[in-house]
Each structure stands twice: as C-alpha cells, then as structure tokens.
Amino acid sequence: MGATSISVRSVSRFKIPEGTTNIKKANITIGSIKTTTESLTVEGKVFKKFIGNYTRTIDDEILVYNSDADEYQQYDNYQKAFEFDIFYSSSDNLLFLSTNTPITKKFLKELEKNDDLDISYSPLAFNLKEISNMMPQTKGVSFNSTDEGVSSKSFSGDEVDVNDEAIEALENDEATKIIGTLDILGKSRTIMLTQSGTILSFTSLVDIKKEFPMLEFAIATLIKIKVL
C-alpha cells in the first residue's frame, strides 16, 4: 500500500452556496465544488462534507488513437479530472482536502477568485523543531538552501536530527518538511508533515475502522503535535 496524504488549511471564511459551483477559466470549466447533506464527527469536531473536482494538465507523452485518421497521434500533455472529498469544521476553522498539494493549491486559488464564493484561507503552520523533539525517531528533514546552484536540500537516515545543517534549519524555522515516527491512534506510524500543509502516512491505515480513516488520522496527528 502506498503512502496516503491529506491537505489541511486554516480558514477564516468558507461560505459555499448550495448545489454545485463551477470553477471557470477563460469561460472553460476547470473544476467545481458541490455541497452535500453529509456531516461527520471526529474527536468531537463536526465536519461538513463537500465534493471537489479539478482538472489538471498532465505533462506526459501519450499516444491517442484517432479513428478518423486510423492512426495513433502523439501528445505532450493531456487533461485529467480529479475528484476528492473536502471536510470543513466551522468550530475549528479547518479545511481538509483529500488530494495532493499541487491540486489543493491550484483548486483553492481558483476558489478564492470565484465571485460566487466567499472564502479566505492560510497555511496551517507547523513548528517542525518541536515536532522533531516529539518523535522517537526523525528520519528526514528538507529545507531551502542558499548554496550556489542548490535551491533545497534533504537529509534522510536514522539520525538525521543530529546533522548540523538539519538542526540549524529546524532551529531557524527554515525546514519545509519532516519525516519521522509518532504514536498515533495506538500505533507507531511513519509520517510526513510539510509547511505547505500536507499530512502523509507511510504506514497503512487499515487498522482505522472508520469511513474516512485519513481524516481520523489527520485529526489525531494534529492533536498529538498540539496544533489542536
């Protein structure tokens, strides 16, 4: 089983009209957000569920069969639609999106520009140094670099948190990503947290017998690291 991730943002406003609101760019629909009647409670927090959809350009060479010309034609990119769940807690002003960071960033940016919606959001800042101190084992740290010709650096290993550059990045709040182990929902799990707002589990979540295990895991993680 591959890694499972969810994106989280802090929101001060999230007003979505009933039904489906399309996201358009140059009069072309590139996505949508749809209300539902569903809600769920996690750790005493009530979340309203929405359905998000966003079409992203994938840069990859593909062959497509053209039946009119009876031949295959090569394209350098193609459009792919992604559908994902969105969970909003008005009491904690939190928004969770069950998709990756690139789609989350573009989707929310387009939502914010939509005149039919009223939303305002910001990253949920993590204190990665404090989180590293909580981890029995820190396995990876990434940070931006000012070295000539190098934009970022990543260190991985069983003792990455004793590396001088990694320590400096954590202490100066310059780290962008951290990987390590934490005891979450009764099990030691290898997780990743990024300053862009991604929570990722490298450990299977099949033991979490809930309808949306990744949301359960994300909330438990935020409580564990004292964000909630």
Side-chain angles (χ1 to χ4, degrees):
M1 178 179 175
T4 308
S5 68
I6 195 166
S7 297
V8 57
R9 296 292 187 274
S10 176
V11 290
S12 55
R13 298 193 311 276
F14 195 73
K15 296 179 181 179
I16 309 296
E18 291 298 318
T20 300
T21 302
N22 289 325
I23 304 169
K24 293 189 176 183
K25 199 168 188 177
N27 292 322
I28 296 175
T29 300
I30 60 171
S32 65
I33 184 168
K34 180 173 67 174
T35 59
T36 76
T37 57
E38 295 181 60
S39 64
L40 62 156
T41 303
V42 181
E43 297 288 349
K45 305 173 190 303
V46 178
F47 289 86
K48 185 175 180 180
K49 181 184 172 184
F50 300 79
I51 302 296
N53 188 290
Y54 189 75
T55 299
R56 183 184 175 195
T57 299
I58 307 296
D59 293 319
D60 192 15
E61 291 185 0
I62 61 169
L63 290 175
V64 177
Y65 180 68
N66 185 330
S67 58
D68 293 333
D70 192 24
E71 65 179 12
Y72 284 91
Q73 297 176 341
Q74 182 173 309
Y75 294 87
D76 295 328
N77 56 58
Y78 60 95
Q79 302 289 316
K80 183 176 180 179
F82 295 85
E83 185 173 280
F84 45 92
D85 295 324
I86 301 170
F87 304 98
Y88 170 58
S89 168
S90 58
S91 60
D92 289 281
N93 295 319
L94 287 178
L95 189 70
F96 291 86
L97 300 92
S98 300
T99 187
N100 59 39
T101 297
I103 293 176
T104 293
K105 285 183 175 181
K106 292 181 179 180
F107 177 77
L108 289 179
K109 184 177 180 180
E110 295 298 333
L111 277 191
E112 195 172 36
K113 293 190 297 185
N114 193 314
D115 293 336
D116 296 328
L117 307 175
D118 182 19
I119 76 168
S120 179
Y121 65 93
S122 60
L124 188 65
F126 296 127
N127 188 326
L128 298 185
K129 181 178 185 299
E130 286 189 4
I131 295 170
S132 177
N133 291 336
M134 296 177 193
M135 290 176 164
Q137 189 176 46
T138 302
K139 297 182 176 182
V141 176
S142 297
F143 51 92
N144 296 325
S145 173
T146 57
D147 291 356
E148 185 176 353
V150 179
S151 59
S152 63
K153 289 184 179 182
S154 294
F155 290 91
S156 59
D158 293 339
E159 297 183 352
V160 68
D161 54 336
V162 299
N163 176 273
D164 289 341
E165 285 189 82
I167 291 173
E168 184 178 356
L170 288 168
E171 290 182 344
N172 294 335
D173 197 25
E174 296 171 347
T176 57
K177 177 176 68 178
I178 190 170
I179 299 172
T181 58
L182 278 176
D183 189 355
I184 300 169
L185 295 176
K187 183 176 179 178
S188 177
R189 304 178 195 269
T190 299
I191 71 168
M192 181 179 78
L193 297 168
T194 75
Q195 289 296 27
S196 60
T198 297
I199 301 172
L200 184 148
S201 174
F202 291 101
T203 305
S204 171
L205 303 180
V206 294
D207 59 301
I208 304 176
K209 306 299 183 182
K210 300 289 185 178
E211 184 178 4
F212 300 101
M214 191 60 208
L215 180 62
E216 301 274 347
F217 167 78
I219 294 296
T221 299
L222 294 179
I223 292 172
K224 181 74 174 184
I225 63 177
K226 301 178 181 178
V227 171
L228 288 178

